[in-house]
Amino acid sequence: ERHIPILFPDIKQYQYAEPDSEENIIFEEEQRDNQVLIKAATIHKLVERLTYHEYADPTFVRTFLMTYRSFCKPGELLNLLISRYHIPSPLDPDDLDARRDPLQREAVKRFKANYVSPIQLRVLNVFRHWVENHYYDFEQD
């Protein structure tokens, strides 16, 4: 399993597949509990890290949901989380040979288990925390 790489969606199809760079995310020098701290980021990178596939960060979720209104409206965040949840396949749907290839099928299984499932679970967790603790965001809309 280790020799089969994890596939990622194409950046043209999924804005959250954009690699980290100095233009879209800046990290603090120090870490907290072996996790990086974000100093500044685009809204897409913030949502990506809010629902990051490698680890959960409940402190960041709480902090983000308390402060996001200063740079984003609730409806915009809702749409961003929905788009984060809907992850396209990394394989071309028209490439039947790739879909039949056992290594490609195994890579897609790893993609679903190690990328799609954790992200979708974390998106749902953000929704749960948002509705439970910041329900007033939904009262007017």
Side-chain angles (χ1 to χ4, degrees), residues 15-63:
Q15 59 201 355
Y16 301 101
E18 182 179 356
D20 292 348
S21 71
E22 290 182 3
E23 285 80 40
N24 60 29
I25 192 165
I26 300 169
F27 297 102
E28 291 283 354
E29 302 265 335
E30 71 237 26
Q31 294 186 348
R32 176 187 29 89
D33 300 327
N34 293 324
Q35 291 181 344
V36 294
L37 299 172
I38 299 169
K39 188 179 209 175
T42 64
I43 187 67
H44 291 107
K45 279 293 171 182
L46 289 172
V47 170
E48 176 190 316
R49 290 299 173 137
L50 191 65
T51 57
Y52 202 46
H53 68 283
E54 291 185 21
Y55 56 82
D57 188 347
T59 302
F60 181 56
V61 171
R62 284 191 303 276
T63 303

Side-chain angles (χ1 to χ4, degrees), residues 1-9 53-54 90 104 106-116 118:
E1 182 177 297
R2 291 187 187 262
H3 65 282
I4 300 172
I6 288 189
L7 300 174
F8 294 98
H53 68 283
E54 291 185 21
Q104 289 285 12
E106 192 59 38
V108 168
K109 281 184 192 174
R110 287 194 69 211
F111 165 73
K112 288 178 180 177
N114 298 330
Y115 190 78
V116 174

Side-chain angles (χ1 to χ4, degrees), residues 58-130:
T59 302
F60 181 56
V61 171
R62 284 191 303 276
T63 303
F64 181 89
L65 289 174
M66 285 190 296
T67 61
Y68 82 90
R69 289 163 214 79
S70 66
F71 55 86
C72 178
K73 293 181 179 180
E76 182 183 358
L77 177 58
L78 178 66
N79 289 330
L80 290 166
L81 288 167
I82 290 169
S83 70
R84 177 69 166 148
Y85 185 89
H86 293 289
I87 304 166
S89 171
L91 296 182
D92 180 353
D94 298 326
D95 188 352
L96 295 177
D97 291 334
R99 293 192 173 278
R100 289 184 186 125
D101 181 327
L103 282 177
Q104 289 285 12
R105 282 202 318 265
E106 192 59 38
V108 168
K109 281 184 192 174
R110 287 194 69 211
F111 165 73
K112 288 178 180 177
N114 298 330
Y115 190 78
V116 174
S117 292
I119 289 170
Q120 290 180 336
L121 185 64
R122 291 189 179 110
V123 168
L124 295 175
N125 188 48
V126 169
F127 280 135
R128 181 187 59 78
H129 188 85
W130 192 9

